[in-house]
Amino acid sequence: LRSLVGSEMCIRDSIIDNLRDEGFSDIVLAVNYLGEQIESYFQDGSNFGVRIRYVREDRALGTAGALSLLKEPISSPIVVMNGDLVLAASVGKMVDYHVSKQATITVGAKVVETTIPFGVLSTRGLVIDGIEEKPTHRDLVNAGVYVLNAEAFESLSANQVTDMPELILKNVDEGKVVAYPMHETWADLGHPSDLSRAQDLMGGK
């Protein structure tokens, strides 16, 4: 679970609580900048009903690079999540899906609609032959939650900066990277302006 440093601990509480309620008991947090604040807050996880350990990055290694610092061998699928998500989908069901598909990597996927707030022109050269007013495009986007088998780690270099899209692309050729459609509430908190929306989605926690 990659952690977002900031004052919005209730968001991370929600992630930990949801994982615990689904039966996950062993959680690893990758920490770097101001990581001591997160360690001080969550400690060993006993107050949250889970076991929490930490992977400490000397420098930010990206959304996948910290996985190369895990010491214990991987014997079963692991869940990797960004720490800045509001997610209502069942992670346990995603793991079951991953196993049933015999996938190397399963990527949580969410349909996102984007409306262009203008009339979009269709042209042949400079000749306009149509116009579509404020069209909406639907795209399947990476939701920031993954299930990985041990073989996915073979393409990771120790202590090297690696983001999840790079790790995914290294494994796509064998046809064992699959999408898990998520229809439930989802929000990515990549910007401070997203926090108020996240609070609303969480019911004002």
Side-chain angles (χ1 to χ4, degrees), residues 4 6 24 27 31-32 62 73 84 88 111 162 164 168 195 198-199 204:
L4 174 70
F24 294 91
I27 295 172
V31 295
N32 177 240
D84 53 357
V111 173
T162 310
M164 283 302 304
I168 290 167
L195 290 174
Q199 296 283 357

Side-chain angles (χ1 to χ4, degrees), residues 85-103:
L85 298 178
V86 172
L87 180 69
S90 169
V91 178
K93 289 181 180 179
M94 183 176 173
V95 174
D96 292 341
Y97 176 90
H98 171 85
V99 172
S100 71
K101 295 295 184 182
Q102 298 182 326

Side-chain angles (χ1 to χ4, degrees), residues 103-196:
T104 298
I105 301 176
T106 297
V107 181
K110 181 71 175 177
V111 173
V112 171
E113 296 185 346
T114 305
T115 299
I116 299 177
F118 308 102
V120 175
L121 302 176
S122 174
T123 62
R124 291 178 288 109
L126 295 179
V127 177
I128 296 173
D129 58 14
I131 182 169
E132 184 178 7
E133 189 64 25
K134 299 180 180 178
T136 296
H137 298 282
R138 292 171 178 82
D139 298 289
L140 200 60
V141 305
N142 177 1
V145 54
Y146 318 86
V147 184
L148 284 74
N149 276 5
E151 55 265 33
F153 290 75
E154 295 174 3
S155 55
L156 279 174
S157 299
N159 207 34
Q160 293 297 310
V161 176
T162 310
D163 285 319
M164 283 302 304
E166 182 182 349
L167 181 62
I168 290 167
L169 290 174
K170 287 181 177 179
N171 286 272
V172 295
D173 290 343
E174 296 183 5
K176 290 193 172 182
V177 177
V178 302
Y180 177 73
M182 293 179 168
H183 306 288
E184 299 87 350
T185 296
W186 170 82
D188 177 85
L189 308 184
H191 301 281
S193 60
D194 296 323
L195 290 174
S196 60

